């Protein structure tokens, strides 16, 4: 009987440890940092984005199947971080760019003007949902969707950071 209790106790301890590890990994991979040439560095979660004004874009995937993506306009996130946009995006500030990185090391670049609605009519969405559901793990929790983009190379998935930088 004593051995049976020890095995149960050990099993409960193992389950608790695995649960704690899983929570740590989920928290680590489901946040997005916004750093660099910003007034306020941010760390955002899907819950944070759920509280913000939503935008929806339709886009096709690699198989040419159309999906409806929902999330927050990238410019909204940049404004929240105090990034130079609008009338201030001129002179040396016009040489700023966004370096967006994914969990697997993939990275893409946008000029800051591309993400600014005062410069471009093309919308850039930081998506958290696809066809009404949270993005699948293979794509999310954050994915960039670009309105009217012909090639999907910059539809970066599993984003973990956005850095605002100057061209050197």
């Amino acid at each position: 009987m004593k051995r049976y209790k020890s095995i149960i106790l050990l099993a409960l301890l193992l389950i608790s440890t695995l649960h704690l590890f899983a929570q740590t990994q989920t928290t680590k991979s489901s946040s997005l940092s916004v750093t660099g040439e910003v007034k306020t560095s941010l760390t955002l979660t899907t819950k944070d984005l759920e509280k913000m004004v939503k935008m929806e874009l339709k886009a096709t995937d690699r198989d040419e199947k159309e999906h409806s993506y929902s999330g927050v306009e990238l410019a909204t996130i940049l404004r929240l971080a105090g990034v130079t946009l609008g009338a201030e995006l001129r002179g040396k500030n016009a040489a700023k760019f966004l370096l967006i990185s994914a969990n697997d090391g993939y990275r893409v670049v946008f000029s800051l003007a591309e993400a600014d609605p005062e410069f471009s009519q093309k919308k850039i969405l930081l998506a958290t949902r696809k066809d009404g559901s949270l993005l699948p793990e293979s794509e999310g929790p954050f994915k960039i969707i670009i309105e009217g983009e012909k090639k999907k190379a910059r539809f970066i998935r599993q984003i973990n950071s956005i850095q605002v930088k100057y061209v050197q």
Side-chain angles (χ1 to χ4, degrees), residues 77-138:
I77 303 298
L78 298 176
R79 280 189 203 99
L80 190 61
V83 174
T84 306
L85 296 172
E88 295 177 341
L89 192 51
R90 57 186 161 82
K92 70 177 188 168
N93 287 326
K96 289 182 181 177
F97 65 96
L98 304 173
L99 177 62
I100 303 178
S101 303
N103 291 335
D104 64 1
Y106 189 73
R107 301 185 309 172
V108 298
V109 173
F110 292 89
S111 72
L112 191 51
E114 284 182 276
D116 188 339
E118 289 190 32
F119 281 81
S120 176
Q121 291 181 357
K122 190 183 282 190
K123 302 286 186 201
I124 301 176
L125 176 70
L126 181 62
T128 55
R129 295 186 172 271
K130 176 180 174 181
D131 299 328
S133 298
L134 288 174
L135 289 168
E137 190 175 328
S138 62

Side-chain angles (χ1 to χ4, degrees), residues 42 44 49 52-55 71-83 85 115-117 124 126:
L42 301 175
L44 300 169
L49 269 65
M52 297 180 188
V53 175
K54 306 290 177 308
M55 182 175 84
V72 177
E73 187 172 10
L74 183 57
T76 301
I77 303 298
L78 298 176
R79 280 189 203 99
L80 190 61
V83 174
L85 296 172
D116 188 339
I124 301 176
L126 181 62

Side-chain angles (χ1 to χ4, degrees), residues 1-13:
M1 186 70 159
K2 191 173 187 178
R3 184 173 180 203
Y4 179 69
K5 285 181 181 179
S6 295
I7 291 172
I8 288 175
L9 185 59
L10 184 59
L12 288 172
L13 182 61

Side-chain angles (χ1 to χ4, degrees), residues 18-37:
L18 289 173
H19 180 70
L20 182 60
F21 177 75
Q23 282 183 323
T24 303
Q25 293 301 86
T26 302
T27 303
K28 195 184 252 186
S29 65
S30 54
S31 66
L32 164 72
S33 66
V34 182
T35 59
E37 296 295 323

